[in-house]
Amino acid sequence: MRSIEQQARLGVHIDLAVEAHALLRGDRDVEIPGVAETVEKTDFAHISTIKILDENGARSLGRPIGTYITVEVPEIHEDCVLIEKTAALLAEKLRPLLPAEDGRPILLVGLGNEAAVPDALGPQVIRKSMATRHFFVQMPDQVEEGFRNVTLVAPNVLGNTGLESFEVVKGIKEEVNPSCIVIIDSLAAASIKRVGTSFQLADTGITPGSGIGNHRLALDEATLGVPVIAMGVPTVVHAETIINEALALLKDSWTLDKKKEGAAGHIVPEESARIIDHILEKENSGYTVTPKNIDTITADLAKTIAIGTNLARLHAASIWTTMASTSTSNT
Amino acid sequence: MRSIEQQARLGVHIDLAVEAHALLRGDRDVEIPGVAETVEKTDFAHISTIKILDENGARSLGRPIGTYITVEVPEIHEDCVLIEKTAALLAEKLRPLLPAEDGRPILLVGLGNEAAVPDALGPQVIRKSMATRHFFVQMPDQVEEGFRNVTLVAPNVLGNTGLESFEVVKGIKEEVNPSCIVIIDSLAAASIKRVGTSFQLADTGITPGSGIGNHRLALDEATLGVPVIAMGVPTVVHAETIINEALALLKDSWTLDKKKEGAAGHIVPEESARIIDHILEKENSGYTVTPKNIDTITADLAKTIAIGTNLARLHAASIWTTMASTSTSNT
Amino acid sequence: MRSIEQQARLGVHIDLAVEAHALLRGDRDVEIPGVAETVEKTDFAHISTIKILDENGARSLGRPIGTYITVEVPEIHEDCVLIEKTAALLAEKLRPLLPAEDGRPILLVGLGNEAAVPDALGPQVIRKSMATRHFFVQMPDQVEEGFRNVTLVAPNVLGNTGLESFEVVKGIKEEVNPSCIVIIDSLAAASIKRVGTSFQLADTGITPGSGIGNHRLALDEATLGVPVIAMGVPTVVHAETIINEALALLKDSWTLDKKKEGAAGHIVPEESARIIDHILEKENSGYTVTPKNIDTITADLAKTIAIGTNLARLHAASIWTTMASTSTSNT
Amino acid sequence: MRSIEQQARLGVHIDLAVEAHALLRGDRDVEIPGVAETVEKTDFAHISTIKILDENGARSLGRPIGTYITVEVPEIHEDCVLIEKTAALLAEKLRPLLPAEDGRPILLVGLGNEAAVPDALGPQVIRKSMATRHFFVQMPDQVEEGFRNVTLVAPNVLGNTGLESFEVVKGIKEEVNPSCIVIIDSLAAASIKRVGTSFQLADTGITPGSGIGNHRLALDEATLGVPVIAMGVPTVVHAETIINEALALLKDSWTLDKKKEGAAGHIVPEESARIIDHILEKENSGYTVTPKNIDTITADLAKTIAIGTNLARLHAASIWTTMASTSTSNT
């Protein structure tokens, strides 16, 4: 188990509950009180469901009580068949979280800055999704059985608009009275292998300080008055996480080696902080590590989530019909 | 003066008060009761200010009581110096319409669909403008004297979001409590020479059915509770307007010719309607006429308005500083 | 049959051989010497194959000897199933025009200006297509049976680059020694119903003055030394065509009416020219008529052609695999 | 001075001659035989001119004989005044490298993939630049004194087109017979503070393996037959460079500390390689470190270079006129 200081440092940027849990449990897989994890495997995906059961668990994992489902599909990139299968799996996991149809719309929100690719996942999902509420308003008798009433919004970011995402979502929520809100956002991972491969679905909304942006006000049931489901995928690792990880790996390996044990003792948090400050000029400087093809990765993720959310909102539609509407309404 | 039927037909798409007024007055420049127009000229612009003074004038011109200023700059396209001069002129005309600084933000709204170039003027202005509200919130003591508190929103269109522009603007207005709302939108002209050259500024908000989109709910002081200023430029002429105009020109010329006077009588509204239906398959089919380079024209217009609105909100800034912030914060 | 003047005027912009042929044949369906047309119908498409057999036919139709296939699919827009079916049909028509596999690449060229949506069809097809030549060079033993060696280029337009499309294509052709060149371009139609619905495939290359751009130098076997296949779809009607059409319709209808026959005689080409000059300020001014949703129409057309050309180059691939590679490799 | 192994590792990605030189010279500023460096300072820029004089110098620095000018402007981002000043300085440095006007065009080439922001610098410069060759061809008598004949091309990347950049440039060069070629490309830095701040200008062309893409064939006078000037700015640091740097810093600091000297000895290249493999899964995996706002940084750099190259090609034009044509001809 890593030092508590290491946890603290890494903790700042751990958006995936599954990574926070693994880090806390460490190599010896200790049980964390108030937290339960179950895992499933399919032929293409590894699914982890973490339930934070009480305040103890919430404190340990640094996030609210609730359910966090992670669907990891390592080979999804540029594989159209896996994109569809993953979309169907996400739909299956999302559907039970949605409230029963009651005539009110679902508000789908894509957080982030479309101009900055790793932060563009949310807006891209919105662009690839299909709003239906106007059909319910304009031609209610022609809406096919099974379609749900959906509205879309991409609030953009504070630096561009002067508006907190919370304000935009709250304002629109008050006007359209949705039965629930589904929020899509880019996440930051602790490990590069999670980038572009791990979809997290949580029934807890979005908590402050998450993501690679700065969405400061919580977007959750407490603040918005309706259930808030959050869905995200890591698109970056913070540069300081990579450096910390490098030093932690050095320390871990030396600790196991009698001859280097002493040297391991010299790798202390202050040393890591000094090196990060030197390389990145200051901590939390906003440098991120991404794969070079993050643009095509993000496009694939947005497609997967758009198909998945469409499927989740439809009782009976085949994948194909859903894909059709998704793909033809967009570039 | 053209036939009342002709007016009725053209009237549907006349977004510029100055065109509606000219059409009503006809060749003989008759006075329209309840309407006053004054004109100014500069070395580069022709400025018309039309005041609709009472219900008579409103009925005649088919739009609300209020002031409509049109700034026409025929040579603006691709002329950087004229773009700046026009921006300064727009700022001068806009500034008196804005409420006094009272600590509340101004909400700048860009209506339209960014994906459809002639309808993208509003969103492009938003993209080129600079929000400042977060500076007032986060570092109030560092905000330079003269800067106003500005927030930005581009509500996109109903077909993409399932949300009326009105709902988005109303919702955000309730959250941020602005002192006024400034709305940017693309317009449709009656004459091709107005496309990309005539900026209209009105203190009446946006009335239903205007524009090339379908922004059905009025966005005005009555519905939003604060003053609403509208600013727009024609980016299209409707295809049916062009066909009507062709037939009207034929009739006008024949009417003046003794030998063809009889033939002129055959050009009746039903004939025009039949021809429009035949060519465009049906009236109001959504075909628009644009210059081939409408993409660069729209970009120039968006730049002009973004510089103009920035200037209007700043007491003391030089054009240069404003341009700098405008141009560097965008693609 | 319309007047020869009318033909001359319209002729300037008739990119579709099928429209030129229909106009020449007129209402009485006269035979044009040196031209043969056959038609087929499927459940979703109307296919016309016009063969210009000799110099007589070439002069009459104003285009080179060769075969012009038009596939018209009126309902293709936003219909994913029709997009695929049309792609497969285009592939079937394109395949026999391609030379036998001989190890040399096929050079796929997308003409036009990506920034101006109606002229962006060519570049968009390139963006959605998959180059394979580097696989043949880098890992020849791993290339799947049936894949053809393909290279892509979007030469952009003279006004942006200072280079004629011909120069770019010729230069690259000399470097990569392709067995044939397939050129994609936007066309202009005579009738609005052809916009976005009629795919023309010709074995004659591209002749000067076609399209909505100004691709002045011919791109054909004579100038490039290898077979050149051209594929295009109308995305606009020129504004002057619409006005001409309106006046021609008026004349046609009056000519059939004893009481208006005299009036019909007043509609002469000079009158049309005067009206066009008045409305558009001058003829050939570059005003085009497009559907408001030309952006989504163009995206659909680009997708159809990209799938079609992919299918045509593959002996055995299923539509699905081809779509997958097409769609996931792009935004 | 760092270990030769360290140099070897870092060397792979050092695109800036000034960084390679500094690394070789180390802390003690040893002289490198066959290399001369002069430095200048202005109020906003630090300019280094490195001349590689002979084969000794070329071997040491791992790049061809020639002149490498680096203009470093740490505060350029979002500062419009510095952008202009830097553009003027780049023009001043570029002008002497251009051949005398002889009627032939200059071919400006923007390498890279526009879809991947950190690799988009080249294509963005092309988009913001103004071609003039068609004016010389179409209206030679109207071209203003001092304008040079310029053509532009953005060859895109092998993975998208199946064409080597070399093939595209060579083919077009053969068609248009330019007097020289100026190539713009994104670079990778060894240090994060160089990203977006250091412009390198070299008269040696582009050598294989440079940049963040894979432009394998050299683009230089030997292969293209005319002088080739290369201009670039780092937009990324490779992830492995950051990790190496972290470990090198640890070693450097420990080496100076008697108590930790022994531990320093455990940090060996094999250890670094193992950690990089573990974190990035394998070396050279294509992970890059970028500032979060790399999109606005790249846009600023492209604007600076576009203004700079425009200025360099004009004998007499004021900055303002050049900016005007640059900024209005683009989005």
Side-chain angles (χ1 to χ4, degrees):
Chain A
M1 193 173 166
R2 297 215 181 125
S3 72
I4 210 72
E5 296 94 339
Q6 185 66 19
Q7 288 167 39
R9 293 194 66 99
L10 281 171
V12 181
H13 302 303
I14 298 190
D15 285 333
L16 293 177
V18 73
E19 287 191 331
H21 194 224
L23 187 74
L24 266 188
R25 302 183 79 190
D27 295 339
R28 286 167 303 167
D29 272 6
V30 297
E31 291 294 320
I32 310 298
V35 181
E37 179 172 11
T38 56
V39 299
E40 292 168 75
K41 279 191 183 183
T42 75
D43 59 320
F44 65 98
H46 181 277
I47 304 156
S48 151
T49 303
I50 290 174
K51 284 183 195 284
I52 300 185
L53 305 163
D54 56 28
E55 282 305 327
N56 269 338
R59 246 190 322 273
S60 299
L61 254 64
R63 63 204 69 217
I65 292 172
T67 300
Y68 301 81
I69 303 166
T70 306
V71 172
E72 190 185 358
V73 186
E75 305 296 331
I76 192 171
H77 186 49
E78 296 207 334
D79 184 327
C80 191
V81 174
L82 274 190
I83 285 173
E84 277 170 86
K85 282 175 145 187
T86 306
L89 180 53
L90 292 176
E92 189 190 302
K93 296 296 179 189
L94 175 57
R95 217 176 282 118
L97 304 180
L98 297 176
E101 169 65 48
D102 66 354
R104 290 185 295 163
I106 293 171
L107 176 55
L108 186 65
V109 177
L111 296 185
N113 182 358
E114 188 153 23
V117 170
D119 197 29
L121 179 65
Q124 283 190 16
V125 169
I126 295 306
R127 197 179 279 277
K128 289 178 198 285
S129 296
M130 189 173 56
T132 55
R133 176 167 168 258
H134 48 305
F135 299 135
F136 284 84
V137 173
Q138 293 169 354
M139 40 180 129
D141 50 327
Q142 287 177 44
V143 177
E144 261 180 75
E145 177 68 25
F147 263 95
R148 286 192 74 155
N149 186 327
V150 176
T151 58
L152 309 172
V153 66
N156 207 326
V157 294
L158 182 66
N160 287 348
T161 63
L163 299 167
E164 297 279 357
S165 294
F166 174 79
E167 293 173 316
V168 177
V169 175
K170 179 71 162 23
I172 291 170
K173 182 251 157 186
E174 293 300 325
E175 291 299 312
V176 305
N177 186 27
S179 62
C180 86
I181 298 175
V182 178
I183 298 183
I184 316 297
D185 199 9
S186 309
L187 307 178
S191 157
I192 208 87
K193 72 173 181 151
R194 294 287 186 178
V195 170
T197 65
S198 293
F199 299 77
Q200 177 172 279
L201 199 49
D203 59 5
T204 57
I206 301 263
T207 49
S210 311
I212 64 165
N214 290 302
H215 317 299
R216 263 96 11 115
L217 295 180
L219 293 155
D220 58 23
E221 186 158 4
T223 60
L224 288 166
V226 292
V228 181
I229 298 162
M231 205 166 171
V233 193
T235 55
V236 302
V237 173
H238 289 283
E240 51 269 42
T241 303
I242 291 281
I243 298 173
N244 266 321
E245 183 69 12
L247 299 175
L249 283 169
L250 197 63
K251 184 167 188 163
D252 289 353
S253 112
W254 287 358
T255 305
L256 302 174
D257 182 339
K258 279 274 179 251
K259 283 185 287 187
K260 299 179 183 164
E261 225 174 354
H266 297 317
I267 304 175
V268 291
E270 293 70 33
E271 192 80 82
S272 304
R274 192 185 58 79
I275 288 171
I276 288 173
D277 286 357
H278 191 277
I279 295 179
L280 304 182
E281 303 203 314
K282 58 178 174 297
E283 229 185 308
N284 267 315
S285 53
Y287 291 102
T288 58
V289 183
T290 53
K292 247 167 53 175
N293 56 341
I294 186 62
D295 56 311
T296 60
I297 291 175
T298 303
D300 279 357
L301 298 175
K303 184 185 286 187
T304 309
I305 295 178
I307 300 174
T309 49
N310 267 3
L311 284 175
R313 299 184 315 240
L314 291 163
H315 302 163
S318 70
I319 288 182
W320 178 249
T321 316
T322 315
M323 286 200 64
S325 57
T326 304
S327 57
T328 59
S329 65
N330 293 287
T331 318
Chain B
M1 192 172 167
R2 296 211 182 129
S3 73
I4 210 73
E5 295 94 340
Q6 185 67 18
Q7 288 167 39
R9 295 193 63 100
L10 281 170
V12 181
H13 302 304
I14 298 190
D15 284 334
L16 293 176
V18 72
E19 286 191 332
H21 193 224
L23 186 76
L24 265 188
R25 300 183 81 191
D27 296 339
R28 285 166 306 168
D29 272 4
V30 295
E31 290 295 320
I32 310 296
V35 181
E37 179 171 12
T38 57
V39 299
E40 289 169 76
K41 280 191 182 181
T42 76
D43 58 320
F44 65 97
H46 181 277
I47 305 156
S48 150
T49 303
I50 290 175
K51 284 182 195 286
I52 299 185
L53 304 164
D54 56 27
E55 282 304 328
N56 268 337
R59 246 192 320 275
S60 299
L61 253 64
R63 64 203 69 216
I65 291 171
T67 300
Y68 301 82
I69 303 167
T70 307
V71 172
E72 189 185 359
V73 185
E75 306 295 331
I76 193 171
H77 186 50
E78 295 206 336
D79 184 327
C80 192
V81 175
L82 275 190
I83 285 173
E84 278 170 85
K85 282 176 146 186
T86 306
L89 180 53
L90 292 177
E92 188 190 303
K93 297 296 179 188
L94 174 57
R95 217 177 282 117
L97 304 180
L98 296 176
E101 170 63 50
D102 66 354
R104 291 184 295 164
I106 294 170
L107 176 54
L108 187 64
V109 178
L111 296 185
N113 182 357
E114 188 152 23
V117 171
D119 197 30
L121 179 65
Q124 283 191 15
V125 169
I126 295 306
R127 195 179 281 275
K128 289 177 198 285
S129 296
M130 189 173 57
T132 56
R133 176 166 168 259
H134 48 305
F135 299 135
F136 284 84
V137 174
Q138 293 169 354
M139 39 180 133
D141 51 326
Q142 286 176 45
V143 177
E144 262 181 76
E145 177 68 26
F147 262 93
R148 287 192 73 155
N149 186 327
V150 175
T151 57
L152 306 173
V153 65
N156 206 327
V157 293
L158 181 67
N160 288 346
T161 63
L163 298 166
E164 297 279 357
S165 294
F166 174 79
E167 294 173 315
V168 177
V169 175
K170 179 69 164 20
I172 290 171
K173 182 250 157 188
E174 294 299 326
E175 290 299 311
V176 304
N177 187 26
S179 63
C180 86
I181 298 175
V182 178
I183 298 183
I184 316 297
D185 199 9
S186 310
L187 307 177
S191 156
I192 208 88
K193 74 175 180 149
R194 295 286 186 178
V195 170
T197 65
S198 293
F199 300 76
Q200 177 171 279
L201 199 51
D203 59 5
T204 57
I206 300 265
T207 48
S210 310
I212 63 164
N214 290 301
H215 316 299
R216 263 89 20 109
L217 296 180
L219 293 156
D220 58 23
E221 187 159 3
T223 60
L224 288 165
V226 292
V228 181
I229 297 162
M231 205 165 170
V233 193
T235 55
V236 302
V237 173
H238 289 282
E240 51 268 43
T241 304
I242 291 281
I243 297 173
N244 266 322
E245 183 69 11
L247 299 176
L249 283 169
L250 196 66
K251 183 166 188 165
D252 288 353
S253 111
W254 287 358
T255 305
L256 303 173
D257 181 340
K258 279 275 178 252
K259 284 184 289 188
K260 298 178 182 166
E261 225 175 355
H266 298 318
I267 304 176
V268 290
E270 293 71 32
E271 191 80 80
S272 304
R274 191 184 59 78
I275 288 171
I276 288 173
D277 285 357
H278 190 277
I279 295 179
L280 305 182
E281 300 204 318
K282 59 177 174 296
E283 231 185 305
N284 268 314
S285 52
Y287 292 102
T288 58
V289 183
T290 53
K292 247 168 50 176
N293 56 343
I294 186 63
D295 55 312
T296 61
I297 290 175
T298 303
D300 280 357
L301 298 175
K303 184 185 286 187
T304 308
I305 295 178
I307 300 173
T309 50
N310 268 3
L311 284 175
R313 299 182 318 237
L314 291 164
H315 301 165
S318 71
I319 288 183
W320 178 250
T321 317
T322 315
M323 284 199 65
S325 57
T326 304
S327 57
T328 58
S329 64
N330 291 286
T331 321
Chain C
M1 192 173 166
R2 298 216 180 123
S3 73
I4 211 74
E5 295 94 339
Q6 185 68 17
Q7 288 167 38
R9 294 192 64 98
L10 281 170
V12 181
H13 302 303
I14 298 190
D15 284 334
L16 293 177
V18 71
E19 286 191 332
H21 193 225
L23 186 76
L24 266 188
R25 301 182 81 192
D27 296 339
R28 285 166 305 168
D29 272 4
V30 295
E31 291 295 319
I32 311 295
V35 181
E37 179 172 10
T38 56
V39 299
E40 290 169 76
K41 281 192 183 180
T42 76
D43 59 321
F44 65 97
H46 181 276
I47 305 155
S48 150
T49 303
I50 290 175
K51 284 181 193 287
I52 300 185
L53 305 163
D54 57 28
E55 282 305 327
N56 268 338
R59 246 191 322 275
S60 299
L61 254 63
R63 66 202 69 217
I65 292 170
T67 300
Y68 302 81
I69 303 166
T70 307
V71 172
E72 189 184 359
V73 185
E75 305 296 330
I76 193 171
H77 186 49
E78 295 206 335
D79 184 327
C80 192
V81 175
L82 274 190
I83 285 173
E84 278 171 83
K85 283 175 146 187
T86 306
L89 180 54
L90 291 177
E92 187 189 304
K93 297 296 178 187
L94 174 57
R95 217 177 282 118
L97 305 180
L98 296 176
E101 171 62 50
D102 66 354
R104 291 184 295 164
I106 293 170
L107 176 54
L108 186 63
V109 178
L111 297 184
N113 182 357
E114 188 153 23
V117 170
D119 196 31
L121 178 66
Q124 283 190 16
V125 169
I126 295 306
R127 196 178 279 278
K128 289 176 199 285
S129 295
M130 189 173 58
T132 56
R133 175 166 169 260
H134 48 305
F135 299 135
F136 284 84
V137 174
Q138 294 169 353
M139 39 179 131
D141 51 325
Q142 286 176 44
V143 177
E144 262 180 76
E145 176 69 26
F147 262 94
R148 287 191 74 155
N149 186 328
V150 176
T151 57
L152 307 173
V153 65
N156 206 325
V157 293
L158 181 67
N160 288 348
T161 63
L163 299 166
E164 297 279 357
S165 294
F166 173 79
E167 293 173 316
V168 178
V169 175
K170 179 69 163 22
I172 290 171
K173 182 251 158 187
E174 294 298 326
E175 291 300 312
V176 304
N177 187 27
S179 63
C180 86
I181 297 174
V182 178
I183 298 182
I184 316 295
D185 199 9
S186 310
L187 308 177
S191 155
I192 208 86
K193 74 176 180 147
R194 295 286 187 178
V195 169
T197 64
S198 293
F199 299 78
Q200 176 171 279
L201 199 51
D203 60 4
T204 58
I206 299 266
T207 49
S210 311
I212 63 164
N214 290 301
H215 316 298
R216 262 91 19 112
L217 296 180
L219 293 156
D220 58 23
E221 186 158 4
T223 60
L224 289 165
V226 292
V228 181
I229 298 162
M231 206 167 169
V233 193
T235 54
V236 301
V237 173
H238 289 283
E240 51 269 43
T241 304
I242 290 282
I243 298 173
N244 266 321
E245 183 69 13
L247 299 175
L249 283 170
L250 196 65
K251 183 166 188 165
D252 288 354
S253 113
W254 287 358
T255 305
L256 302 173
D257 182 339
K258 278 275 179 252
K259 284 184 288 187
K260 297 177 183 168
E261 224 174 355
H266 297 318
I267 304 174
V268 291
E270 293 72 32
E271 191 81 82
S272 304
R274 191 184 60 78
I275 287 171
I276 287 173
D277 286 357
H278 191 278
I279 295 179
L280 304 182
E281 302 202 317
K282 58 178 174 295
E283 230 185 307
N284 267 314
S285 52
Y287 292 102
T288 58
V289 183
T290 54
K292 248 168 50 177
N293 56 342
I294 186 62
D295 56 312
T296 59
I297 290 175
T298 302
D300 280 356
L301 298 175
K303 183 185 287 187
T304 309
I305 294 177
I307 300 174
T309 50
N310 268 2
L311 284 175
R313 299 182 318 238
L314 292 163
H315 302 164
S318 70
I319 288 183
W320 179 249
T321 316
T322 315
M323 283 199 65
S325 57
T326 303
S327 56
T328 58
S329 65
N330 291 288
T331 322
Chain D
M1 193 172 166
R2 300 222 176 117
S3 72
I4 211 72
E5 296 93 340
Q6 185 67 19
Q7 288 166 40
R9 293 194 65 100
L10 281 170
V12 182
H13 302 304
I14 299 189
D15 284 333
L16 293 176
V18 72
E19 286 191 331
H21 194 225
L23 186 74
L24 266 189
R25 302 183 78 191
D27 296 339
R28 286 167 304 167
D29 272 5
V30 297
E31 291 294 319
I32 310 297
V35 181
E37 179 171 12
T38 56
V39 299
E40 291 169 76
K41 280 192 182 182
T42 75
D43 58 320
F44 65 98
H46 181 277
I47 305 156
S48 152
T49 303
I50 290 175
K51 283 182 195 286
I52 300 185
L53 304 163
D54 57 27
E55 282 305 327
N56 269 337
R59 246 191 321 273
S60 300
L61 255 63
R63 63 204 69 219
I65 293 171
T67 301
Y68 301 81
I69 304 166
T70 307
V71 172
E72 190 185 359
V73 186
E75 305 297 330
I76 192 170
H77 186 49
E78 296 208 333
D79 184 326
C80 192
V81 174
L82 275 190
I83 285 173
E84 277 171 85
K85 283 175 145 187
T86 306
L89 180 53
L90 291 177
E92 189 190 303
K93 297 295 179 188
L94 174 57
R95 217 177 281 118
L97 304 180
L98 297 176
E101 169 65 48
D102 66 354
R104 290 185 296 164
I106 293 170
L107 176 54
L108 187 64
V109 177
L111 296 185
N113 182 357
E114 188 153 23
V117 170
D119 196 30
L121 179 65
Q124 283 190 15
V125 169
I126 295 306
R127 197 179 279 276
K128 289 178 198 286
S129 296
M130 189 173 57
T132 56
R133 176 166 168 260
H134 47 306
F135 300 136
F136 285 84
V137 173
Q138 293 168 353
M139 41 180 130
D141 50 325
Q142 286 176 43
V143 177
E144 261 179 77
E145 178 67 26
F147 262 94
R148 285 191 75 156
N149 185 328
V150 176
T151 58
L152 307 173
V153 66
N156 206 327
V157 293
L158 181 66
N160 288 348
T161 64
L163 299 166
E164 297 280 358
S165 294
F166 174 80
E167 293 173 316
V168 177
V169 175
K170 179 70 161 23
I172 291 171
K173 182 251 157 187
E174 294 299 325
E175 291 299 312
V176 305
N177 187 27
S179 63
C180 86
I181 298 175
V182 179
I183 298 183
I184 316 297
D185 199 9
S186 310
L187 307 178
S191 156
I192 207 87
K193 73 175 180 147
R194 294 285 186 179
V195 170
T197 64
S198 293
F199 300 77
Q200 177 172 279
L201 198 51
D203 60 4
T204 57
I206 300 264
T207 49
S210 311
I212 62 165
N214 289 302
H215 317 299
R216 264 92 15 111
L217 295 179
L219 293 156
D220 57 23
E221 186 157 5
T223 60
L224 289 166
V226 292
V228 181
I229 298 161
M231 206 166 170
V233 193
T235 55
V236 301
V237 174
H238 288 282
E240 50 270 42
T241 304
I242 290 282
I243 297 173
N244 266 321
E245 183 69 13
L247 299 175
L249 283 169
L250 196 65
K251 183 167 189 164
D252 289 353
S253 112
W254 286 357
T255 305
L256 302 173
D257 182 339
K258 278 276 180 250
K259 284 184 287 187
K260 299 179 183 166
E261 225 175 353
H266 296 317
I267 304 175
V268 291
E270 293 71 31
E271 192 80 81
S272 305
R274 192 185 57 80
I275 288 172
I276 288 173
D277 285 357
H278 191 277
I279 295 180
L280 305 182
E281 303 203 314
K282 58 177 173 297
E283 232 186 304
N284 267 315
S285 53
Y287 292 102
T288 58
V289 183
T290 53
K292 247 167 54 176
N293 56 342
I294 186 61
D295 56 312
T296 60
I297 290 174
T298 303
D300 280 357
L301 299 174
K303 184 186 286 187
T304 308
I305 296 177
I307 300 174
T309 49
N310 267 3
L311 284 174
R313 299 183 316 238
L314 292 164
H315 302 163
S318 71
I319 288 181
W320 178 250
T321 315
T322 316
M323 284 200 65
S325 57
T326 304
S327 56
T328 59
S329 65
N330 292 287
T331 319

